[in-house]
């Protein structure tokens, strides 16, 4: 049976001389595997649409164990990612996260849009990479059912006015006073807490629309990273690679 779907190539595995096995994130089927025969040949009709991080319209035939790509019309190849090694490394980290989570159903469509928006912003260089990373990490956790409790301190229910402690294990907040009672030091300033709430609670089109000073962004990114990695319960090799390339924040 032939199926036509949009999809983003998250992994390209070479087999034989010019063939590839693609792992594609689609909005309806989630992650699928597809054989793209001859796609590495420059003259192949599949060449432009089957590259890593290409967002294409795929015509696929369903087989026993995987699909076969019949046609691939590229919509965006995010070429700018390949011109910046830091951006490419971050894109690899975001893609690896999606591969590990393997979203299905409605979650797959939401995750695909989040990836596409993140790649677009990386290409346009309109947001700091660390901000794109933090938004993707926390929003992904929310999409996959791990919404943190950010409405107020879990002890006294205080909402703002002083620094807070965010627990990456439970996803809960403690105000500075209640944190000290548990021998914990606040790890969120007011700006980072506001950004955390914005990412988790805003509508999709607004989640990237904020700005932070470097120290607050560093606090935010440390916590979003810790929170999603606790949910994944495994290290991601691409994260270490990106960190080796990214500028260090004091």
């Amino acid at each position: 049976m032939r199926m036509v779907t949009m999809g983003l190539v998250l992994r390209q595995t070479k087999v034989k001389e010019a063939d590839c096995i693609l792992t594609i994130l689609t909005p309806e089927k989630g992650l699928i595997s597809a054989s793209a025969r001859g796609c590495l040949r420059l003259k192949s009709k599949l060449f432009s649409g089957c590259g890593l991080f290409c967002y294409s319209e795929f015509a696929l035939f369903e087989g026993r164990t995987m699909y076969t790509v019949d046609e691939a019309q590229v919509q965006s190849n995010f070429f700018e990612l390949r011109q910046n090694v830091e951006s490419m490394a971050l894109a690899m980290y975001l893609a690896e996260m999606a591969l590990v989570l393997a979203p299905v159903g409605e979650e797959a469509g939401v995750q695909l849009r989040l990836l596409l928006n993140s790649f677009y912003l990386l290409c346009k260089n309109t947001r700091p990479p660390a901000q794109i990373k933090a938004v993707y990490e926390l929003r992904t956790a929310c999409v996959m059912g791990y919404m943190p409790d950010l409405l107020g301190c879990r002890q006294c229910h205080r909402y703002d006015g002083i620094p807070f402690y965010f627990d990456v294990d439970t996803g809960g907040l403690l105000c500075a006073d209640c944190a000290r009672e548990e021998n914990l030091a606040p790890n969120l300033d007011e700006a980072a807490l506001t950004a955390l709430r914005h990412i988790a609670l805003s509508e999709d089109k607004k989640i990237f629309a904020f700005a932070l000073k470097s120290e607050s962004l560093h606090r935010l990114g440390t916590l979003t990273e810790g929170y999603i990695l606790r949910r994944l319960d495994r290290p991601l090799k691409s994260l270490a690679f990106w960190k080796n390339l990214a500028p260090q924040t004091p």
Side-chain angles (χ1 to χ4, degrees):
M1 184 173 66
R2 194 172 189 265
M3 174 182 75
V4 177
T5 183
M6 300 302 299
L8 179 65
V9 179
L10 298 187
R11 185 163 56 201
Q12 186 188 54
T13 304
K14 183 179 178 181
V15 293
K16 299 183 180 179
E17 182 179 350
D19 301 347
C20 280
I21 302 297
L22 308 179
T23 304
I24 306 169
L25 179 59
T26 70
E28 299 91 3
K29 298 284 187 178
L31 287 176
I32 63 171
S33 295
S35 172
R37 296 170 184 166
C39 70
L40 297 180
R41 295 191 179 97
L42 290 174
K43 294 183 179 181
S44 170
K45 65 178 183 178
L46 302 180
F47 179 80
S48 63
C50 291
L52 183 65
F53 300 151
C54 281
Y55 180 58
S56 303
E57 182 182 69
F58 292 95
L60 306 164
F61 287 106
E62 188 172 2
R64 288 185 179 181
T65 58
M66 70 175 66
Y67 292 87
T68 298
V69 181
D70 183 47
E71 295 180 30
Q73 299 296 324
V74 64
Q75 303 296 309
S76 177
N77 61 11
F78 297 107
F79 178 75
E80 293 89 345
L81 292 178
R82 294 157 181 79
Q83 297 177 313
N84 184 304
V85 66
E86 182 189 345
S87 295
M88 189 65 175
L90 183 52
M92 290 169 62
Y93 167 59
L94 305 186
E96 185 180 2
M97 195 185 306
L99 288 167
V100 170
L101 290 167
V104 296
E106 184 178 346
E107 293 173 354
V110 176
Q111 192 72 32
L112 176 58
R113 290 194 298 274
L114 182 57
L115 261 178
L116 292 172
N117 288 336
S118 298
F119 285 5
Y120 174 82
L121 291 174
L122 280 173
C123 289
K124 295 303 179 184
N125 198 28
T126 56
R127 295 286 188 278
Q131 180 177 335
I132 296 170
K133 172 180 173 289
V135 171
Y136 186 86
E137 288 167 333
L138 183 61
R139 194 69 170 200
T140 289
C142 296
V143 169
M144 299 306 293
Y146 302 115
M147 173 73 76
D149 182 2
L150 302 174
L151 296 182
C153 174
R154 66 188 181 198
Q155 300 291 359
C156 70
H157 308 296
R158 185 168 186 168
Y159 181 79
D160 57 11
I162 57 176
F164 276 73
Y165 173 82
F166 178 67
D167 189 335
V168 297
D169 289 317
T170 66
L173 289 173
L174 286 171
C175 71
D177 295 336
C178 293
R180 277 191 280 272
E181 291 179 5
E182 298 189 21
N183 296 316
L184 297 170
N187 54 15
L188 277 173
D189 57 27
E190 185 175 357
L193 175 58
T194 299
L196 201 68
R197 287 170 171 154
H198 176 85
I199 296 166
L201 303 173
S202 294
E203 55 186 294
D204 288 351
K205 64 181 180 180
K206 295 182 178 180
I207 56 175
F208 292 98
F210 64 92
L212 288 177
K213 294 182 179 179
S214 59
E215 183 178 349
S216 296
L217 182 56
H218 180 66
R219 288 177 180 269
L220 174 69
T222 298
L223 295 176
T224 57
E225 179 184 308
Y227 187 67
I228 189 61
L229 290 182
R230 293 292 197 285
R231 270 75 226 161
L232 295 176
D233 196 29
R234 60 183 288 184
L236 300 182
K237 293 180 180 179
S238 53
L239 176 58
F241 180 56
W242 179 77
K243 285 185 172 183
N244 286 334
L245 297 171
Q248 296 299 310
T249 304

